[in-house]
Amino acid sequence: MNLTEPNCGLKYLPSTSSSQSKPRSPNQELLPLTAKVNSRDCLEIGGCDITTLVEKFGSPLYVLDEFTLRTACRQFRDAFKTYYPGESQVIYASKAWNCLAVCHIVSSEGLGLDVASGGELYTALKAGVSPEKIYLHGNNKSVGELSLAIENNCTIIVDNWLELKTLAQIGLDRPETGPISIMVRLTPGIECHTHEYIRTGHIDSKFGFDPNDMDEVFIFISKQPQLNLTGLHAHIGSQIFELQPHRDLGEVLAEWMKKAGDRGLKITELNVGCGLGIRYTETDDPPSIEEWVKTVSEGVVAACKSRQLPLPKLFSEPGRSLIGSSCVTAYTVGNRKTVPDIRTYVAIDGGMSDNPRPITYESLYRAVVANRMSDPLKEKVTIAGKHCESGDVLIKDYQLPETTPGDILVVMGTGAYNYSMASNYNRLPRSGAVLVSEGEANLILQRETYEDLLRQDLLPERLVID
Ligand code: LLP
């Protein structure tokens, strides 16, 4: 068998030191940590053969590797212990993938959870996450969402004046609940190089208080004993490879911490958000989790030292870098269309409904053929989704082995913002997800059925003609 130019470049990976010393192939770096090629030449993740998973659970199928996810949680947690001399708390930005199993795993690793809606909050509570480790975000939270957070003693990250005044009033109306824990989100005024839709730190952002308002915000809060301001928050964007903006954020937040002190408010917590990028393709080169944590920690320590401020409890909110690389999506290959001299389309049984990132942000992905891992790369194809939309293309002009209908195509790096942004476009039932670990596969999201699609539909009686 020719393994020199294989489909994914994966060698068989027996755990001998000689095989480990071989350079890792580009695609191997994009797969979850437990990925191997088994003796049937099929891709295995978490000890489970992907083709067997598809036989059992159907496709498209999200396959989440528990080991990779837990490893990332521990890397964040341990790196803060190493590099930050004060107290720290990592909070998973659950908008990346919020469901019972993911919330449960992440919180069992000691992480808190950031939720961006009542729905995410409700799921986190049902998953058993400690309410005091849940932080509610949002630029337009409803009174219902705020109430759910308050009743459960979660912390609210206040985004704007309307919300601040609403909370002050709720606090007055319900003195029996005690002071409401809040952090204040501000726009830090930091620009970074990422897609404009996922930049949030620049001044023209819909999130957070404008810096010009902050002084007034501090004065207002200092007169509201029913609000307990513990900290400040800022987030600069997502899929960021540069470290400097994250370091700069420490300076910005420390400066505001000092100004709050000048107004008599004692801030003991800073939340730097996250935004650390991951590798989707062989040319992506993001910093490691450790490098990111080191930079952020050193930035905050230096900024506090130069202002003679005590070290705050340092919060961070990674989403993508915690879960992105721990999942792949398995599809079944179907139709092929060759447009002479232009392109060959290979269609799969999902697309923009299970992964809307390529059509939304022109995001790049990589794939392997999971049932013929060592087949040589033979042809350049464009992997098309099955939706009635020309832009529904997952990967453009990509070298793959020759595929035939029924082959299993695995797209890598689909853990973040895939399931969480999935839709029912064209009334496709949403895909299922399995959690794999040490040869066991557990369904964590059931595949939707046609019945599920109709669950919320109502047909007014007057429309029914008998
Ligand atoms: N904290 C806040 C307040 C956020 O808004 C976000 C992401 C995060 C933390 C986590 O950022 P991360 O570590 O995942 O970069 N749908 C887009 C990404 C939107 C990010 C929204 N906010 C995508 O698919 O690329």
Side-chain angles (χ1 to χ4, degrees):
M1 190 176 312
N2 176 14
L3 287 177
T4 53
E5 268 257 301
N7 159 19
C8 83
L10 266 186
K11 309 274 186 242
Y12 292 91
L13 294 172
S15 47
T16 64
S17 51
S18 66
S19 87
Q20 280 168 352
S21 63
K22 283 181 196 147
R24 283 163 72 85
S25 73
N27 276 344
Q28 190 177 330
E29 301 279 354
L30 305 177
L31 281 162
L33 297 171
T34 61
K36 291 198 219 178
V37 178
N38 64 22
S39 54
R40 295 171 55 214
D41 200 26
C42 292
L43 176 62
E44 234 179 66
I45 295 178
C48 298
D49 184 317
I50 299 289
T51 63
T52 313
L53 292 179
V54 170
E55 271 165 33
K56 187 161 175 205
F57 299 103
S59 67
L61 183 68
Y62 299 109
V63 180
L64 177 62
D65 183 34
E66 188 172 340
F67 178 77
T68 307
L69 176 57
R70 287 192 186 274
T71 301
C73 293
R74 288 170 199 175
Q75 282 174 338
F76 266 104
R77 213 185 50 199
D78 296 348
F80 274 107
K81 282 201 189 111
T82 307
Y83 295 108
Y84 190 66
E87 232 190 307
S88 61
Q89 176 67 57
V90 181
I91 301 174
Y92 166 54
S94 73
K95 68 206 75 180
W97 184 342
N98 182 299
C99 68
L100 289 178
V102 168
C103 292
H104 183 89
I105 292 172
V106 168
S107 100
S108 74
E109 291 294 338
L111 275 60
L113 239 80
D114 130 14
V115 293
S117 70
E120 287 186 357
L121 170 55
Y122 183 76
T123 310
L125 291 169
K126 288 283 174 194
V129 181
S130 310
E132 69 279 6
K133 281 190 171 176
I134 300 179
Y135 295 78
L136 177 64
H137 268 288
N139 68 317
N140 194 21
K141 303 174 187 83
S142 67
V143 172
E145 289 173 322
L146 293 172
S147 301
L148 187 62
I150 294 167
E151 281 153 20
N152 286 284
N153 280 324
C154 305
T155 300
I156 296 167
I157 307 205
V158 184
D159 180 274
N160 54 66
W161 276 113
L162 175 65
E163 186 185 338
L164 184 56
K165 290 185 176 167
T166 305
L167 284 172
Q169 192 56 49
I170 294 176
L172 289 178
D173 294 346
R174 303 186 205 170
E176 67 284 357
T177 24
I180 301 171
S181 290
I182 60 167
M183 291 180 100
V184 163
R185 177 171 184 172
L186 56 95
T187 312
I190 293 176
E191 305 238 353
C192 34
H193 296 111
T194 188
H195 193 286
E196 67 170 305
Y197 292 2
I198 52 179
R199 265 184 239 156
T200 48
H202 55 305
I203 289 295
D204 180 10
S205 161
K206 70 171 183 173
F207 297 106
F209 284 94
D210 187 272
N212 292 310
D213 283 351
M214 286 303 290
D215 203 37
E216 230 182 298
V217 167
F218 290 146
I219 294 169
F220 179 85
I221 294 175
S222 66
K223 294 180 187 152
Q224 314 292 326
Q226 72 281 30
L227 300 181
N228 175 26
L229 174 69
T230 60
L232 300 177
H233 172 283
H235 171 72
I236 58 175
S238 202
Q239 185 59 1
I240 297 164
F241 287 4
E242 304 152 284
L243 285 170
Q244 191 58 39
H246 293 284
R247 180 184 286 276
D248 295 346
L249 184 58
E251 285 288 329
V252 171
L253 283 173
E255 187 58 25
W256 285 114
M257 185 172 160
K258 182 167 170 292
K259 287 184 176 150
D262 296 344
R263 289 288 177 192
L265 288 171
K266 193 167 163 248
I267 302 279
T268 56
E269 298 177 347
L270 291 185
N271 184 331
V272 293
C274 189
L276 171 62
I278 63 164
R279 296 190 80 195
Y280 286 105
T281 73
E282 57 292 339
T283 53
D284 287 339
D285 190 20
S288 66
I289 290 174
E290 197 177 355
E291 284 170 314
W292 185 87
V293 171
K294 184 168 185 279
T295 303
V296 165
S297 301
E298 288 174 356
V300 170
V301 169
C304 289
K305 197 168 170 208
S306 69
R307 290 169 182 80
Q308 290 160 351
L309 293 168
L311 279 187
K313 180 169 178 181
L314 184 53
F315 290 76
S316 55
E317 288 172 342
R320 190 189 313 270
S321 49
L322 250 173
I323 200 163
S325 306
S326 56
C327 181
V328 300
T329 307
Y331 301 94
T332 303
V333 170
N335 182 42
R336 159 185 295 253
K337 174 180 179 181
T338 299
V339 187
D341 303 325
I342 301 187
R343 185 183 326 279
T344 294
Y345 290 96
V346 168
I348 41 106
D349 55 354
M352 60 184 285
S353 58
D354 60 79
N355 183 359
R357 299 194 68 258
I359 198 164
T360 313
Y361 316 111
E362 300 179 327
S363 308
L364 300 178
Y365 281 89
R366 295 291 180 247
V368 295
V369 179
N371 53 314
R372 293 196 270 111
M373 288 297 282
S374 52
D375 268 19
L377 304 177
K378 266 264 179 68
E379 54 176 7
K380 197 182 261 184
V381 298
T382 286
I383 300 167
K386 66 175 278 161
H387 293 273
C388 295
E389 177 126 351
S390 299
D392 178 28
V393 160
L394 282 191
I395 312 180
K396 249 189 179 165
D397 299 333
Y398 186 53
Q399 283 287 344
L400 273 187
E402 212 172 318
T403 52
T404 52
D407 278 337
I408 304 301
L409 187 94
V410 157
V411 173
M412 301 173 280
T414 57
Y417 306 108
N418 273 227
Y419 164 72
S420 64
M421 289 171 64
S423 76
N424 289 117
Y425 184 41
N426 295 145
R427 283 237 143 170
L428 258 69
R430 251 176 279 230
S431 306
V434 284
L435 179 71
V436 291
S437 177
E438 297 182 1
E440 206 175 306
N442 305 106
L443 203 53
I444 57 168
L445 287 165
Q446 255 170 351
R447 180 177 306 286
E448 283 179 348
T449 62
Y450 290 150
E451 268 311 303
D452 291 328
L453 294 177
L454 291 188
R455 188 145 296 152
Q456 307 300 330
D457 279 29
L458 296 170
L459 190 57
E461 240 173 70
R462 67 183 178 78
L463 298 182
V464 184
I465 306 156
D466 30 23

